[in-house]
Amino acid sequence: MNTTRLPTALVLGCLCAAASAADNSIMTKGQKVYESNCVACHGKKGEGRGTMFPPLYRSDFIMKKPQVLLHSMVKGINGTIKVNGKTYNGFMPATAISDADIAAVATYIMNAFDNGGGSVTEKDAKQAKGKKKLNRQNAV
């Protein structure tokens, strides 16, 4: 048995456990932010409400496109959009929460609601605030 590999395996195992703990921490924070700020319109499970508030669960509007989710959150949406084949005509104001909370809730939405996963960082949220509104036709 090669004993020089054992410490490396232990270190990698510890790093993976630490990364999982951080991910769990972000997801827990994101869920709390979601429940405080988003659930009234988008539903507890991201199912959406009526013809004004589109679903976030398996949403083709944001699927594997966290930048579209971020722009929707930091710039807002006004007017008609199409999500999962249905037309929604509502208003979503720009989110008035911290960049850290935006990153956490966006990470939660991308993962918990089966939108392709991934992590959104505070830096991503700051960058999204600095960009112009996305052309919705190019976003989907």
Side-chain angles (χ1 to χ4, degrees), residues 13-96:
C14 291
L15 289 174
C16 289
S20 293
D23 292 343
N24 288 338
S25 171
I26 294 294
M27 289 292 288
T28 299
K29 179 179 181 177
Q31 182 178 7
K32 288 179 183 176
V33 174
Y34 181 85
E35 289 172 354
S36 297
N37 295 279
C38 313
V39 76
C41 297
H42 293 286
K44 178 107 173 132
K45 297 178 182 177
E47 69 274 15
R49 302 211 190 269
T51 58
M52 292 189 65
F53 306 108
L56 297 175
Y57 179 77
R58 292 187 179 172
S59 167
D60 64 0
F61 191 74
I62 59 173
M63 180 65 69
K64 297 183 182 176
K65 298 180 279 190
Q67 74 281 2
V68 173
L69 174 60
L70 278 173
H71 280 281
S72 299
M73 292 173 66
V74 303
K75 302 294 185 179
I77 297 176
N78 189 13
T80 303
I81 62 171
K82 193 166 240 179
V83 179
N84 298 345
K86 293 183 180 179
T87 301
Y88 294 86
N89 189 11
F91 172 73
M92 180 176 146
T95 307

